[in-house]
Amino acid sequence: MYDLEAFMKELQRKNPDQPEFIQAVRGVLSSIIDLVNGNPVYEKNRILERMTEPDRILQFRVEWENDKGELEVNRAWRVQFNNAIGPYKGGTRFTKDLTLGTLKFLAFEQTFKNSLTTLPMGGGKGGCDFDPAGKSDREIMRFCRAYMMELQKYIGPDTDVPAGDLGCGGREIGYMYGMYKQIKTENTGVLTGKDMSFGGSILRPEATGYGAIYFAEEMLKDRGDKLEGKRIAISGYGNVAWGVAKKASQLGAKVVTLSGRKGFVLDEEGVGTQEKWDFLEALRASNTGNVEAYAKRFGAKFFPGEKPWGVKCDMAFPCASQNELDLADAKTLVAGGCKYVVESSNMGDTPEATEYFQSHGVAFAPGKAANAGGVACSGLEMSQDAMHYRWSAAEVDEKLHEIMQSIHKACVDYGRRADGTVDYVRGANAASFKHVADTMLKLGY
Ligand code: 2IT
């Protein structure tokens, strides 16, 4: 029998400076420890010890020249966490304050998320403490090429397939892929999130947000409810927020907020026109996070220094970053009548916020289930690259839709409560743990 507290104490001892990683592991294990202990084979095979230790971590130096001709030095990592189910797969984060602990939490979560997609992908994550804010296009290009110069030694289409994440979008993927091709003379699609002109999948940029909405539709259906007419608050302004706003409005809901580094925007008319979506796309590319510009452009209200969760809404979609929504925010949302929280960022809610939602009748979907549409579409991009073929938008959309429905079904299968509601945290963690753990057993050690 695993003793959860003793296990966590040892994990903490071994990883003293990685609070987010500890939080992610506790989040998974506390919801399924009975399942783990229910099958003695897991402990006998040291499954928890093996699943909480990455297969390997690569750390490297990135050197590049800025526009002033000065040399800049950054630290980068690739965490190859678990490849039981398939090649390591996961995004690349470029943020100034990035730490190995953050990447370990993301790679750990990614392993579970990817297993839910039904596609053969293991879990990984990488990135660099590079700050894209204010960098020129040439600087971004020189940095990306230097980053790939080193990373290419460790990745491959059947080994490890990175994609983008915060601070790393289509432009950065393009520069990195260009370097990879020059070094390897290969067109194997080793990165996903590529532009469609050189091997990318149609709908990949939209997929995380669209997937979150498809998942939300299933949650609503399960409660005999529907998306149409719902008032939605979201945080963030990037790729995920953009996709959520687009799909939600296409399906008759109204997204009324956005947020950036310095505050949030309330747009009572809804973020629901092509012009607004295009504006968001440009804002994302600018790397400034200045959503006040959106408020100015469209005559919406800007609230400096505040989060959007005080706005009355039926549904909330955190789409920014980890731990962005805390207990106080959860209380505000519940008091305002919010009934659904669809975590579209990775670990966007603190454990206390999650617990508050769960104990107050809110249907709460964790990121590893709700935001899996992005990596699922990356998996579809890998398939298309391997086949040297392209599916149409309708084909990709249909596959994405089916995958999100099957993730919802897995959550229901493992998470249905006695009162008929669904514990999505338990459901997502149990289904994915079983998939990864049982695969590891089949592979021996
Ligand atoms: O957090 C995520 O799932 C991503 N950043 C996407 C990863 C991917 O490989 O597409």
Side-chain angles (χ1 to χ4, degrees), residues 16 23-24 89 115 125 162 183-184 216 264 319 337 354 359 394 400 420 437:
Q23 179 188 334
K89 180 81 198 88
S115 90
K125 199 92 186 189
I183 298 169
K184 302 261 190 185
F264 85 92
C319 301
T354 303
S359 57
L400 173 65

Side-chain angles (χ1 to χ4, degrees), residues 78 89-93 106 110 113-114 121 124-125 161-166 192-193 204 208 346 371-372 374-379:
R78 184 74 186 164
K89 180 81 198 88
T92 304
R93 188 171 278 201
L106 288 163
Q110 196 82 44
K113 182 196 308 195
N114 292 2
M121 298 184 289
K125 199 92 186 189
V161 183
D165 193 80
L166 299 182
T192 63
R204 175 63 189 87
T208 313
N346 290 311
N371 76 28
V375 74
C377 195
S378 278

Side-chain angles (χ1 to χ4, degrees), residues 182-203:
Q182 269 181 284
I183 298 169
K184 302 261 190 185
T185 327
E186 274 180 15
N187 285 276
T188 47
V190 70
L191 305 177
T192 63
K194 301 183 293 300
D195 189 87
M196 277 179 295
S197 59
F198 54 86
S201 173
I202 197 159
L203 283 188

Side-chain angles (χ1 to χ4, degrees), residues 390-401:
R390 290 287 142 232
W391 287 319
S392 68
E395 284 170 304
V396 174
D397 197 34
E398 191 190 330
K399 289 182 199 330
L400 173 65
H401 207 150

